[in-house]
Amino acid sequence: MSEEVAIDTQELGEKIVKVLKTIYDPEIPVDIYELGLIYDVLVNEDNEVKILMTLTSPNCPVAESLPVEVEEKVKSLNMVKDAEVEITFDPPWTQDLMSEEAKLELGML
């Protein structure tokens, strides 16, 4: 992989994170990135994106709509050719995955 491609995918990765930070769990006033719901963001050299994420619980009321919202918002980025979201519950989400910022926002610190 050329260095230019590496910079592009890193830059795209940062843009994807910015988009993810605009998506909120409807029950918690913190974005899904700070909540620790995003486990991995993979970008290949064709600018196809795969996002591995979880939900706060398998019975999450947005289990159907949240992954679709993530996929659509990431696909809306100019540089993204395609995006796919995979939901996993392994490992299950816990409050330990939340950023310090999220914990502070929720009064847990």
Side-chain angles (χ1 to χ4, degrees):
M1 186 187 293
S2 74
E3 200 166 305
E4 190 177 302
V5 171
I7 290 168
D8 282 352
T9 53
Q10 183 179 352
E11 185 184 318
L12 182 54
E14 288 168 11
K15 286 183 176 171
I16 291 166
V17 167
K18 276 187 185 153
V19 167
L20 295 173
K21 287 184 170 198
T22 68
I23 303 171
Y24 285 78
D25 184 297
E27 296 178 340
I28 308 169
V30 175
D31 70 76
I32 61 172
Y33 190 82
E34 296 295 340
L35 267 181
L37 297 182
I38 304 298
Y39 286 170
D40 211 349
V41 176
L42 307 162
V43 180
N44 71 14
E45 48 216 29
D46 294 329
N47 285 356
E48 295 166 335
V49 179
K50 182 167 185 182
I51 296 171
L52 186 63
M53 67 175 288
T54 194
L55 301 167
T56 51
S57 84
N59 309 325
C60 180
V62 291
E64 298 298 314
S65 61
L66 194 61
V68 173
E69 183 182 356
V70 169
E71 210 166 90
E72 286 175 354
K73 285 201 173 169
V74 170
K75 277 184 185 172
S76 75
L77 289 168
N78 289 340
M79 294 166 68
V80 173
K81 184 176 170 191
D82 196 17
E84 176 192 347
V85 172
E86 184 180 323
I87 299 290
T88 183
F89 291 102
D90 182 26
W93 181 84
T94 67
Q95 291 181 349
D96 294 341
L97 296 171
M98 291 170 30
S99 69
E100 295 289 309
E101 187 180 311
K103 289 177 182 172
L104 192 63
E105 179 76 29
L106 297 173
M108 298 168 75
L109 285 179

